[in-house]
């Protein structure tokens, strides 16, 4: 239990952390990775180079300072992060390492402002917050292991089949090497794959959404080849270009707090680019379990070449008594390309096609999600009726 004195000290540092948070977390990652390079490949290098990981952690540290006396306010964010930690096999022994380098970063960036009293208060606060994570994650590890066909940490799967879904997205069907069926999961959740890549000293981890409804004897992930950005996607290119059917990967049990909720309310699934992957699991689940549920499926792609799952999505929609499918292309390469929207999805379009009582699920690139969120907010959708998933560290969608 934190003393009132230390609570007051922590809360007094919140404005400083809001200003210097990214500098602190940048310092933190640099020094921690220098001392513990074995932790580097747990993280996505592109997110590190783009600063998303640093920004996400800075936001978390700032929120912890602001609500240190109301930690229950942080519980939804804690659970979201804890899902990712469990999927990556983060364990209690990692927390002292993080704490050591986070305190060093606060001291290194703030200098004289980080007095012994301030550092002492943050050390005590960190132990309290870390224990919250450890307790939540312990329950998640037990749940993953105890569920039917579940397991602890990682398990070997092999690639049964590779299927090209578009010019940039390929699906990988994964089956357990021990012959056991795939575990159940909630449509929208993800797994972590762990693999060795030539030239990398340590195993590399990446998280990918499960892209088909639960209930199969195999797991399906659908991976976009990240070849048009710097740095390129190290793992996605390795999966596309080098792994073949029969090759083995280590896989975590499914995790994640973004998933389809059953119920009578209409649902709108709004996907941009590779953000379609969790939506395919949701759409498949609706087709199998709730075929009378009013459903709108909106898929945005750069162009026809980048449009994945077109036939599969149409088949699933055809199984619904009240389902509608809409496709948006940012550009048409040929006049013969058929879509419902050319350019960006507008507020007027969303108002026209989505029932105002719908629960909306959104996944895609950050600019896409930010625009859709703005439109839905302006149309009167509440926070409770809009759910979204980040591929990577969470950042603010609205200011």
């Amino acid at each position: 239990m934190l003393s009132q004195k230390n609570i007051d000290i922590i809360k007094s540092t919140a404005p400083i952390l809001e200003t210097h948070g990214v500098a602190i977390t940048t310092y933190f990652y640099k020094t921690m990775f220098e001392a513990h390079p074995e932790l580097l490949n747990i993280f996505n290098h592109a997110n590190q180079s783009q600063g998303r990981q640093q920004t996400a952690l800075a936001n978390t540290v700032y929120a912890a300072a602001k609500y240190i006396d109301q930690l229950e306010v942080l519980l939804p964010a804690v659970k979201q992060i804890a899902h990712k930690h469990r999927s990556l096999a983060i364990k209690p022994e990692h927390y002292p390492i993080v704490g050591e380098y986070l305190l060093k970063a606060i001291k290194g960036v703030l200098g004289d402002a980080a007095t012994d009293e301030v550092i002492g208060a943050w050390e005590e606060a960190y132990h309290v917050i870390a224990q919250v994570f450890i307790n939540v994650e312990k329950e998640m590890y037990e749940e993953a292991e105890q569920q039917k066909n579940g397991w602890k940490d990682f398990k070997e799967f092999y690639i049964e089949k590779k299927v090209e879904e578009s010019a940039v997205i390929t699906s990988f069907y994964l089956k357990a090497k021990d012959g056991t069926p795939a575990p159940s999961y909630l449509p929208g959740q993800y797994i972590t794959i762990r693999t060795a890549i030539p030239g990398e000293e340590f195993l590399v981890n990446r998280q990918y959404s499960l892209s088909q409804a639960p209930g199969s004897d195999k797991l399906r992930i659908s991976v976009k080849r990240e070849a048009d950005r710097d740095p390129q996607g190290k793992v996605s290119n390795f999966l596309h270009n080098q792994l073949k059917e029969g090759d083995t990967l280590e896989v975590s049990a499914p995790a994640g707090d973004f998933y389809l909720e059953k119920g009578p309310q209409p649902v709108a699934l709004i996907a941009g680019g590779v953000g379609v992957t969790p939506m395919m699991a949701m759409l498949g689940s609706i087709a199998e379990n709730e075929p009378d549920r009013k459903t709108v499926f909106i898929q945005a792609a750069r162009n026809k070449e980048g449009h994945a799952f077109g036939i599969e999505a149409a088949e699933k929609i055809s199984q619904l008594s009240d389902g509608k499918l809409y496709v948006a292309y940012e550009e048409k390469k040929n006049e013969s390309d058929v879509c419902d929207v050319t350019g960006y999805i507008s507020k007027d379009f969303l108002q026209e096609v989505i029932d105002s009582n719908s629960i909306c699920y959104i996944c895609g690139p950050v600019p896409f999600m930010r625009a859709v969120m703005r439109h839905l907010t302006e149309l009167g959708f509440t926070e409770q009726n809009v759910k979204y998933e980040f591929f990577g560290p969470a950042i603010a969608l609205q200011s």
Side-chain angles (χ1 to χ4, degrees):
M1 190 73 176
L2 279 170
S3 67
Q4 187 59 50
K5 177 183 177 182
N6 281 346
I7 288 174
D8 293 341
I9 292 172
I10 295 297
K11 289 180 74 71
S12 74
T13 64
I16 302 173
L17 293 172
E18 185 177 22
T19 302
H20 299 286
V22 174
I24 289 170
T25 55
T26 300
Y27 188 113
F28 158 74
Y29 281 118
K30 180 178 182 297
T31 55
M32 185 178 71
F33 290 150
E34 286 173 352
H36 294 275
E38 74 278 6
L39 299 179
L40 179 60
N41 282 340
I42 291 176
F43 296 88
N44 186 303
H45 293 190
N47 290 331
Q48 284 285 322
S49 67
Q50 294 165 10
R52 287 187 63 188
Q53 194 81 50
Q54 295 88 331
T55 300
L57 179 58
N59 291 341
T60 301
V61 174
Y62 167 65
K66 186 175 180 181
Y67 297 108
I68 193 64
D69 56 344
Q70 306 172 62
L71 290 179
E72 65 277 4
V73 174
L74 302 178
L75 196 56
V78 167
K79 288 184 175 179
Q80 183 183 60
I81 296 168
H83 272 288
K84 293 183 180 295
H85 285 181
R86 200 277 293 156
S87 181
L88 290 164
I90 301 296
K91 296 295 178 65
E93 56 264 30
H94 292 120
Y95 281 91
I97 298 173
V98 171
E100 176 186 354
Y101 288 94
L102 184 60
L103 292 174
K104 286 181 177 178
I106 293 173
K107 183 68 175 177
V109 171
L110 300 187
D112 292 342
T115 63
D116 290 344
E117 191 174 48
V118 167
I119 294 298
W122 264 104
E123 183 174 11
E124 182 181 359
Y126 176 79
H127 288 308
V128 170
I129 296 167
Q131 194 59 52
V132 171
F133 274 97
I134 290 168
N135 293 342
V136 170
E137 289 159 17
K138 181 177 183 291
E139 292 181 5
M140 290 182 176
Y141 278 110
E142 291 172 351
E143 183 180 349
E145 187 174 13
Q146 292 169 7
Q147 71 164 315
K148 185 178 179 180
N149 302 318
W151 65 91
K152 183 179 181 180
D153 297 345
F154 287 89
K155 178 176 176 177
E156 284 195 328
F157 279 64
Y158 69 93
I159 300 171
E160 182 199 45
K161 182 171 58 172
K162 285 178 69 171
V163 177
E164 188 175 288
E165 307 288 0
S166 74
V168 294
I169 295 176
T170 292
S171 287
F172 297 79
Y173 290 79
L174 309 175
K175 293 195 74 171
K177 286 193 72 176
D178 64 8
T180 56
S184 183
Y185 54 89
L186 298 170
Q189 290 190 305
Y190 55 83
I191 58 172
T192 296
I193 64 158
R194 186 165 71 180
T195 186
I197 294 182
E200 292 292 315
E201 183 179 357
F202 302 102
L203 295 174
V204 178
N205 302 272
R206 288 295 182 273
Q207 292 170 330
Y208 293 108
S209 293
L210 293 158
S211 60
Q212 67 179 7
S216 171
D217 64 342
K218 60 184 71 71
L219 301 173
R220 184 178 78 173
I221 58 172
S222 303
V223 180
K224 179 186 176 187
R225 184 197 299 110
E226 298 289 358
D228 58 353
R229 69 183 188 186
D230 186 25
Q232 294 188 357
K234 183 182 299 181
V235 178
S236 69
N237 279 278
F238 177 71
L239 290 173
H240 275 257
N241 301 334
Q242 297 189 47
L243 286 191
K244 57 187 182 301
E245 292 175 359
D247 285 344
T248 299
L249 295 166
E250 292 182 291
V251 175
S252 75
D257 64 345
F258 176 73
Y259 53 84
L260 177 73
E261 297 176 4
K262 291 183 178 181
Q265 276 185 276
V267 64
L269 309 177
I270 309 171
V274 75
V276 71
T277 53
M279 302 305 185
M280 290 305 299
M282 294 184 186
L283 181 61
S285 180
I286 293 170
E288 291 178 20
N289 303 303
E290 302 177 284
D292 294 327
R293 189 174 189 180
K294 186 175 185 180
T295 301
V296 171
F297 189 87
I298 303 171
Q299 183 178 359
R302 185 170 294 176
N303 49 47
K304 186 176 181 179
E305 291 180 358
H307 182 188
F309 303 111
I311 294 174
E312 183 178 333
E315 289 176 348
K316 299 299 183 186
I317 286 291
S318 72
Q319 297 172 29
L320 307 182
S321 61
D322 191 357
K324 295 290 190 300
L325 172 65
Y326 300 97
V327 175
Y329 291 154
E330 186 177 330
E331 59 177 0
K332 282 188 178 184
K333 287 198 170 184
N334 301 291
E335 284 301 316
S336 60
D337 295 345
V338 178
C339 62
D340 301 285
V341 175
T342 302
Y344 298 120
I345 292 173
S346 68
K347 180 175 74 171
D348 290 343
F349 172 75
L350 294 177
Q351 185 174 32
E352 179 183 346
V353 303
I354 297 178
D355 188 301
S356 60
N357 295 315
S358 295
I359 299 178
C360 300
Y361 295 85
I362 312 168
C363 190
V366 171
F368 170 85
M369 291 201 296
R370 185 173 282 130
V372 171
M373 284 279 291
R374 183 175 66 250
H375 294 332
L376 292 175
T377 299
E378 291 173 358
L379 291 173
F381 285 87
T382 65
E383 184 177 331
Q384 289 73 29
N385 282 356
V386 178
K387 303 177 187 299
Y388 53 89
E389 172 79 319
F390 285 98
F391 285 168
I395 59 173
L397 286 183
Q398 295 176 303
S399 57

